[in-house]
Amino acid sequence: MAIIKQLDPHVADLIAAGEVVERPASVVKELMENAIDAGAGAVTVEIARGGMSLIRVTDDGCGIPAGQAAIAFLRHATSKIATQQDLEAIGTLGFRGEALAAISAVSRMELLTRTQDEALGAALTVEAGVVTGQEEAGCPKGTVMTVRELFFNTPARLKFMKKDAAEGAAVFAVVQRLALSHPELSVKFIRDGKQELLTPGDGQLKSAVYAVMGRDIALGFLCVKGSGEEMSAEGFASLPACCRGSRSYQHFFVNGRYVKSRIMTAAVEEAYKNQKMVGKFPGCVIHLTVRPSQVDVNVHPTKTEVKFQREQAVFSTVYYAVLSALNGDHTRPQAVLPGVKAEDTVTSRQTALPLHDGGRGPAGTQFMPAARFQPLSGAAQGSRPAPAKPPEAAAPTVPPQKKSPFQWVEPLPERQPKSPGQEAKPRPAAEAPARAPPRRDQRPAPRGRACPPAPAGARLRGGALGGPGRAVSHLCAGGARGEGAAHRQARRP
């Protein structure tokens, strides 16, 4: 029988690290969120080999006091919440106090921090969750977190990592999302010594979208702004003609936190119904602001999924905000139908025409709606006018023919149809004129080039003399065979 016992603290830390730290991108996310909660105005992220060998996050926040630097690496050690009531209204990105403990358990970390009130900062070294050294150090205000050799003590996790390029792309995606979530933060991303991203940090979402997503995508966005029941939505949404083939360009944020929300996704796509191509998805950057008490962010280990207290209100707020932005776009071509005339009047060029309908009334009865036609001249009000006489057929006029350079030839007379009793008599054979076959010298010369002149008295094979010094043969029709035969016959004696 298996014996129940308490796990070793180091093993428990490794299990907890598996829930928080999945790959280098998870480490960057946790460290950047700590920098944002510290009130930083600028954050620099550096990685090497996709983040497996080096991750360095530098910020200019409030820093950590030297006496509390070692406590920050303990499990469930945090300064963001203190009581149970604080969990009901979380206003920070991090609150569990286990990020630094989980990261340090599977890597080698270095901490360099200083507060505004201290003259010297603190330098701390942690390996596999154990503090190996701490000393005073001179450093600027803020915090520098360095992570080296991630998963060096967990080979089972290390073998499931992807290539450096794929891991680096995942880190870059995390940095982009955090830059979009906080436009007031200037974010710099450096990969393998090369800078790939720099946001201005001027507090305008449009500037962050321009820096993160590029100029072409930013120019295809519409401004979205709307409010609902104690919540508001603002941001940008793409034009219907600028939709993409995947949902990778959809970014949703709730109180500054990047989330994956099916409700918000469905609301945006429902607003684009019948306005986009089939198989295309709109891109958007939507910031939803709600009361912290109406959203629960403590439902997922990575805090990327949230639970709303009023889901229908969230759907309506996002839906109508995006729909109003699409309807207010006047750059799209619209079909404008002409208005219906209030009254259909008869113009001076319209005349009343008689309508003969034997099935509806007596012959010659005219049905003329008074609202559309004018009465005939000479007819009294309420009286039945006399039926109009049909106009006489005018002689057909032959249109003038243009002068032609060709000679006019009279057409052949039409053949009269034969009566049933009349039969065509065969022409007697004696009456047919007898035609003698033409002589050889009277046959027309074949088309093509003429044969070369032949000497007088030359006898040709299958031919005859066709004139003075000229031989005509059926073999000489302009082809190679005819010319060759004529020359050979002409050379014979």
Side-chain angles (χ1 to χ4, degrees), residues 42-62:
V43 177
T44 302
V45 180
E46 303 176 53
I47 64 172
R49 291 185 53 196
M52 297 302 300
S53 63
L54 173 65
I55 297 175
R56 181 181 290 117
V57 178
T58 306
D59 66 80
D60 58 351
C62 62

Side-chain angles (χ1 to χ4, degrees), residues 193-250:
K194 181 181 178 181
Q195 178 178 314
E196 297 187 2
L197 176 65
L198 177 61
T199 60
D202 55 357
Q204 298 182 6
L205 182 58
K206 186 175 183 179
S207 302
V209 170
Y210 193 95
V212 172
M213 307 186 73
R215 175 179 178 272
D216 296 338
I217 297 179
L219 293 179
F221 273 175
L222 295 173
C223 183
V224 175
K225 190 174 183 179
S227 60
E229 302 176 0
E230 299 181 353
M231 59 185 66
S232 62
E234 60 180 4
F236 295 92
S238 62
L239 294 168
C242 300
C243 293
R244 302 290 173 169
S246 64
R247 294 186 176 94
S248 60
Y249 289 88
Q250 296 181 1

Side-chain angles (χ1 to χ4, degrees), residues 164-382:
D164 296 345
E167 297 297 340
V171 172
F172 188 36
V174 169
V175 174
Q176 288 178 320
R177 294 166 187 166
L178 289 172
L180 292 175
S181 64
H182 293 271
E184 73 281 359
L185 181 66
S186 177
V187 179
K188 179 188 295 185
F189 178 67
I190 301 174
R191 174 161 53 175
D192 296 328
K194 181 181 178 181
Q195 178 178 314
E196 297 187 2
L197 176 65
L198 177 61
T199 60
D202 55 357
Q204 298 182 6
L205 182 58
K206 186 175 183 179
S207 302
V209 170
Y210 193 95
V212 172
M213 307 186 73
R215 175 179 178 272
D216 296 338
I217 297 179
L219 293 179
F221 273 175
L222 295 173
C223 183
V224 175
K225 190 174 183 179
S227 60
E229 302 176 0
E230 299 181 353
M231 59 185 66
S232 62
E234 60 180 4
F236 295 92
S238 62
L239 294 168
C242 300
C243 293
R244 302 290 173 169
S246 64
R247 294 186 176 94
S248 60
Y249 289 88
Q250 296 181 1
H251 304 277
F252 300 102
F253 305 93
V254 177
N255 294 340
R257 182 191 306 274
Y258 173 78
V259 297
K260 298 178 181 179
S261 176
R262 296 182 179 179
I263 298 175
M264 300 178 69
T265 301
V268 171
E269 295 185 0
E270 184 67 20
Y272 280 83
K273 191 175 181 180
N274 299 330
Q275 299 192 42
K276 63 179 180 64
M277 296 180 61
V278 178
K280 299 294 183 179
F281 302 95
C284 62
V285 180
I286 304 296
H287 282 256
L288 181 66
T289 304
V290 299
R291 287 186 177 181
S293 59
Q294 295 183 359
V295 57
D296 187 6
V297 298
N298 193 21
V299 296
H300 195 270
T302 59
K303 295 172 287 188
T304 56
E305 295 182 5
V306 296
K307 186 176 181 180
F308 296 102
Q309 187 176 3
R310 305 170 62 187
E311 295 182 350
Q312 186 61 37
V314 172
F315 182 92
S316 301
T317 302
V318 176
Y319 171 76
Y320 288 109
V322 176
L323 186 62
S324 61
L326 295 176
N327 294 337
D329 178 26
H330 301 290
T331 61
R332 294 184 300 167
Q334 299 180 359
V336 180
L337 299 178
V340 181
K341 295 182 179 179
E343 183 180 358
D344 192 5
T345 57
V346 180
T347 61
S348 59
R349 295 185 179 183
Q350 293 177 336
T351 57
L353 299 178
L355 177 63
H356 301 279
D357 191 355
R360 297 179 58 185
T365 303
Q366 297 183 358
F367 298 90
M368 297 181 297
R372 291 188 57 86
F373 302 100
Q374 296 178 353
L376 295 175
S377 58
Q381 182 73 19

Side-chain angles (χ1 to χ4, degrees), residues 452-456 467-471:
R470 177 70 63 177

